[in-house]
Amino acid sequence: MTEQRTLTQKDDMEGMDHSQMQKDDMEGMDHSEMNMGSNQLPSDARDPHAYSDGFTLTKGPYAFSEKRVLKLMDEHYFGSFLADRLEYDADNDAVIFDLQGWYGSTYNRFTAKLEGDVVDGKLDESQSDLLWTHAISAFFDTQLGVRFDQYDEGDNRQWLAFGVQGLAPYWFELDMTAYLGESGRSAISVEAEYELLLTQRLILQPRAELTAYGKKDEVNGIGSGLSDVAIGMRLRYEFSRQFAPYIGIEWTEKFGETADLAQLNGNDDSDTIYVAGIRFWF
């Protein structure tokens, strides 16, 4: 009986049109929900609670009542510091710094950005951003906080800041921030960097930055509209991934009312500098 049933099943299967079965099955599938090998990550990939239906390890009916010894990866806090630019401009006897540090989880962080220059051993001007950073996608964070501008000659300013920072398609580092200040002042800053690996250790880093202001600030030599643009190129050699000396060139140009104010004050509205510096992080 067993052998006869087996032969019968075999005959039935041989009479079936398997190609039509596969076609019918695939036509009934919802291909929009499938991951067809794409490298696109979901927007909530960095959210530790994205798929927990509202439950967390510290809240909800499944939370442990006693103190837990084991901590998962997303519960740990980390910190990092990056000196993206720390360089010397011999023509102006100036040290230029662009530093960034953060502390927190992969989802929420406190971020500090410091940028400015020291001329003749004295802090000439600086910009300090203190921001709360929150991940909104696999590669981008939103940032909300305050900015403090310090001028050796001029009036200091304070701003509210809101922006995004992350890695854009084709591996461009983007940092875009809008600012609101006192007396209706506003500003926007956009910065983009790219790393071109000539070898595994020799890296060419183009960089561009533009700044625009919504209102004239004559005491600080700033006009409304597009204020200035800086375009640079730096070539570094990474003795290790965390330490790399570099040389570079940067061209800056002031525009509109800002250029007019610079000329009135006896300053150039454009400049080209050659720099040498180090880039490091830990």
Side-chain angles (χ1 to χ4, degrees):
M1 288 294 290
T2 302
E3 182 179 358
Q4 181 179 0
R5 185 163 55 247
T6 302
L7 291 174
T8 301
Q9 292 173 343
K10 180 180 179 182
D11 292 341
D12 291 343
M13 294 183 69
E14 288 178 346
M16 298 170 64
D17 185 351
H18 296 277
S19 62
Q20 187 62 37
M21 290 175 60
Q22 294 176 348
K23 180 180 179 182
D24 293 342
D25 290 344
M26 295 188 69
E27 287 178 347
M29 296 171 66
D30 183 1
H31 296 276
S32 64
E33 300 295 332
M34 296 179 63
N35 184 345
M36 303 298 288
S38 168
N39 58 4
Q40 297 295 321
L41 297 175
S43 60
D44 54 3
R46 293 167 62 189
D47 186 351
H49 304 132
Y51 309 101
S52 65
D53 292 331
F55 296 110
T56 71
L57 290 172
T58 56
K59 300 178 182 177
Y62 306 116
F64 292 98
S65 58
E66 66 275 13
K67 183 178 180 182
R68 291 183 297 114
V69 177
L70 178 64
K71 284 192 174 182
L72 302 182
M73 190 66 181
D74 59 89
E75 296 179 286
H76 288 277
Y77 289 91
F78 301 95
S80 180
F81 176 82
L82 167 66
D84 193 32
R85 291 184 297 148
L86 184 58
E87 58 199 25
Y88 180 66
D89 169 19
D91 291 338
N92 299 309
D93 190 21
V95 175
I96 302 166
F97 60 89
D98 183 357
L99 316 173
Q100 184 171 158
W102 62 264
Y103 179 79
S105 67
T106 58
Y107 205 59
N108 292 297
R109 299 172 178 173
F110 169 74
T111 302
K113 302 177 185 177
L114 306 175
E115 186 175 347
D117 54 84
V118 178
V119 180
D120 294 330
K122 186 177 181 181
L123 184 62
D124 185 50
E125 63 179 47
S126 65
Q127 173 183 316
S128 305
D129 290 66
L130 303 178
L131 305 164
W132 172 67
T133 299
H134 178 74
I136 56 171
S137 69
F139 298 106
F140 269 92
D141 299 330
T142 57
Q143 295 182 324
L144 177 66
V146 294
R147 164 181 146 184
F148 302 95
D149 290 352
Q150 174 271 328
Y151 296 93
D152 184 47
E153 297 180 357
D155 292 342
N156 297 338
R157 302 297 184 202
Q158 296 81 41
W159 308 81
L160 295 175
F162 173 76
V164 293
Q165 182 177 14
L167 188 64
Y170 301 100
W171 307 101
F172 283 91
E173 294 276 359
L174 285 182
D175 188 353
M176 301 179 289
T177 310
Y179 300 96
L180 291 176
E182 300 168 313
S183 305
R185 294 188 179 88
S186 60
I188 185 169
S189 173
V190 180
E191 181 179 335
E193 290 184 352
Y194 187 79
E195 293 191 345
L196 179 62
L197 272 67
L198 303 179
T199 70
Q200 289 297 313
R201 293 182 180 274
L202 191 62
I203 298 171
L204 186 66
Q205 183 183 43
R207 175 181 177 274
E209 180 179 3
L210 67 85
T211 307
Y213 290 87
K215 190 175 182 180
K216 189 174 182 179
D217 186 1
E218 190 168 352
V219 69
N220 288 324
I222 297 171
S224 61
L226 180 61
S227 170
D228 54 87
V229 171
I231 298 175
M233 190 84 71
R234 289 164 177 80
L235 180 66
R236 71 174 186 264
Y237 184 82
E238 293 188 343
F239 287 101
S240 72
R241 292 303 178 206
Q242 294 175 286
F243 179 82
Y246 64 82
I247 56 174
I249 181 173
E250 183 161 285
W251 167 78
T252 58
E253 179 80 25
K254 294 181 173 61
F255 296 91
E257 291 181 340
T258 304
D260 296 338
L261 291 172
Q263 293 173 355
L264 286 174
N265 294 326
N267 299 320
D268 296 330
D269 58 0
S270 66
D271 192 15
T272 301
I273 61 173
Y274 299 89
V275 298
I278 55 172
R279 182 184 189 273
F280 63 92
W281 62 271
F282 55 84

